[in-house]
Amino acid sequence: MESNGNDESANMLMKTVALLGWYSTPHVQNGNDIRTHLKELIPEQQARLKKIKSEYGKVQLGNITVDMVLGGMRGMTGLLWETSLLDPDEGIRFRGLSIPECQKVLPAVKTGGEPLPEGLLWLLLTGKVPSKEQVDALSAELRSRATIPDHVYKAIDALPITAHPMTQFTTGVMALQVQSEFSKAYESGIHKSKYWEPTFEDTLSLIAQVPSVAAYIYRRIYKNGKIIPANDSLDYGGNFAHMLGFDSPEMQELMRLYVTIHSDHEGGNVSAHTGHLVASALSDPYLSFAAALNGLAGPLHGLANQEVLLWIKSVVNECGENISKDQLKDYVWKTLNSGKVVPGFGHGVLRKTDPRYMCQREFALKHLPDDPLFQLVSKLYDVVPPILTELGKVKNPWPNVDAHSGVLLNYYGLTEARYYTVLFGVSRAIGICSQLIWDRALGLPLERPKSVTMEWLEKQCNKSV
Ligand code: AMX
């Protein structure tokens, strides 16, 4: 693998990043074994959290209003999530780095290529941009853990082939759970200061194994069960595309980009929060990640990428590929008037166009500018936001990540929209699992917010007026 880390602008960016202090942890020793890095970082971060607790424990972070309690806790700061932070206007930053910055500084297969997901995993776990050698070592570590026990395939095969791919995927992850090192260690009485170690073992194995489980499901449902073995000469994203049946260099690049940008979106979204919540009961990483996947499978969250392509295809079926903007407006209103959402638009936190949408748009402009479905997606970018704004209640009329991913996959031949959320799930393993290691390393407690009844709210509010 070549690195693009020597690129001059990337070096400049790294210096700026260091000057701005985004990496708050001191320099750690060079070395390619990620465990060694974590062993050094964990005591520093434990001390940091202890200091925050003791010095700022009573500082208020905002007022909770009735609207927040009734409105799905929007805007309520209530979780610690180290691996990424979402700004409503700028979008996601992975350990301080925006998506374009990650594209510049993370190692790639070829200079100027898309970031390798293993590099992002290293960044999320350690807060440091890895060298090419470190990424290669992590790729090799993942490959060494990628073998799936046979009973996992049998568990999936027990489901009807018509079962939704996400149901099959969650079943596969649950079947992997029997190998959990964390649950074995807990049963044998491990000391809590060591929880992160079996969590690390489980999460790395889980990240290593989900692409094979996901590819098995794809080939089982759509390719007559003809399974493609892993290619050990490929990286994580390239090999995933290969096992699905796609060997073009462009599709492999798309998969690297896809996995990287879908990996993490701070802690409050349904899948990340669910994984973190379930793990706070010391459920092992497999149980926690399977729970997260069940949240991702909802149409307001990860299933939206399936919904977008199906919706776009229904537009084409009814009006043809060369639909005018006026016809498209009518179609959007028809969707809204039938009581449905326009999939791929809006967000719980973002208030501008999602940078994950923008980088996929740039990929499309580079590789498939004339694709009719891409052109339709571009038209939707013009047509939908003014209509959602006109509704008067939508807080963010702009497109999110899911508005774009389907047409890219479809262009390269991965046309089965019902499968798309599984790709999202494979990617999410990287972010959720990285944070789970830190959850246990930092000794984060059982999550248990307070709930109230309407009667309690009425009484409380009557007292305060
Ligand atoms: N189409 C139609 N109505 C929409 C809308 C959309 N794209 N986005 C928001 N609204 C509506 C809401 O349904 C809500 O209506 P209600 O008051 O009648 O219930 C109102 O606008 C206010 O919602 P909001 O505060 O702007 O959004 P939210 O935080 O409650 O929900 C989200 C965010 C993403 C669920 C919503 O924008 C939506 O349903 N979008 C379409 C589905 C989608 O693309 N989901 C993927 C999100 C990204 C991801 O997780 N992968």
Side-chain angles (χ1 to χ4, degrees), residues 35 59 89 158 163 185 206 236 279 284 309-310 315 320-321 398 411 434:
R35 260 181 234 83
V59 173
D89 295 325
L206 182 50
Y236 189 83
D284 67 55
L309 196 76
L310 295 177
V315 173
E321 273 173 355
W398 302 106
Y411 177 80
S434 300

Side-chain angles (χ1 to χ4, degrees), residues 74 299-302 304 308 336 340-349 351 356 388 391 393-396 400-402 424:
R74 292 296 183 291
L300 296 188
H301 189 22
V308 168
L336 291 170
K340 295 181 190 148
V341 295
V342 181
F345 285 78
H347 200 270
V349 176
R351 294 297 173 254
R356 300 173 298 175
L388 291 183
L391 281 184
K393 61 177 182 179
V394 181
K395 299 200 188 58
N396 174 36
N400 60 55
V401 64
D402 299 314
F424 200 156

Side-chain angles (χ1 to χ4, degrees), residues 208-379:
Q209 292 172 5
V210 282
S212 304
V213 175
Y216 180 80
I217 292 163
Y218 180 73
R219 305 291 306 177
R220 172 178 191 246
I221 303 176
Y222 304 110
K223 305 290 168 188
N224 297 320
K226 288 193 185 128
I227 306 308
I228 301 175
N231 176 345
D232 281 346
S233 70
L234 286 169
D235 57 284
Y236 189 83
N239 185 44
F240 184 28
H242 163 76
M243 289 190 295
L244 289 166
F246 302 94
D247 282 318
S248 83
E250 273 185 26
M251 178 59 163
Q252 294 187 354
E253 276 292 85
L254 175 63
M255 196 55 79
R256 293 176 190 115
L257 178 67
Y258 183 102
V259 173
T260 298
I261 64 174
H262 285 79
S263 61
D264 205 26
H265 217 226
E266 75 167 34
N269 64 76
V270 170
S271 54
H273 185 190
T274 304
H276 173 81
L277 166 70
V278 173
S280 84
L282 300 183
S283 303
D284 67 55
Y286 298 93
L287 297 173
S288 309
F289 182 63
L293 284 178
N294 285 321
L296 194 70
L300 296 188
H301 189 22
L303 204 79
N305 59 8
Q306 153 183 327
E307 297 298 282
V308 168
L309 196 76
L310 295 177
W311 186 80
I312 286 178
K313 287 195 168 168
S314 72
V315 173
V316 172
N317 277 344
E318 204 169 307
C319 312
E321 273 173 355
N322 293 322
I323 182 171
S324 70
K325 283 194 180 169
D326 282 338
Q327 278 177 300
L328 203 46
K329 274 183 201 163
D330 290 344
Y331 200 90
V332 171
W333 275 115
K334 197 171 106 181
T335 301
L336 291 170
N337 291 335
S338 63
K340 295 181 190 148
V341 295
V342 181
F345 285 78
H347 200 270
V349 176
L350 281 168
R351 294 297 173 254
K352 294 268 167 67
T353 298
D354 191 338
R356 300 173 298 175
Y357 174 94
M358 287 314 291
C359 76
Q360 294 184 91
R361 179 172 165 77
E362 274 153 31
F363 190 96
L365 286 168
K366 190 165 155 195
H367 297 289
L368 46 134
D370 301 325
D371 176 54
L373 290 193
F374 166 55
Q375 288 175 358
L376 184 49
V377 164
S378 297
K379 271 186 211 159

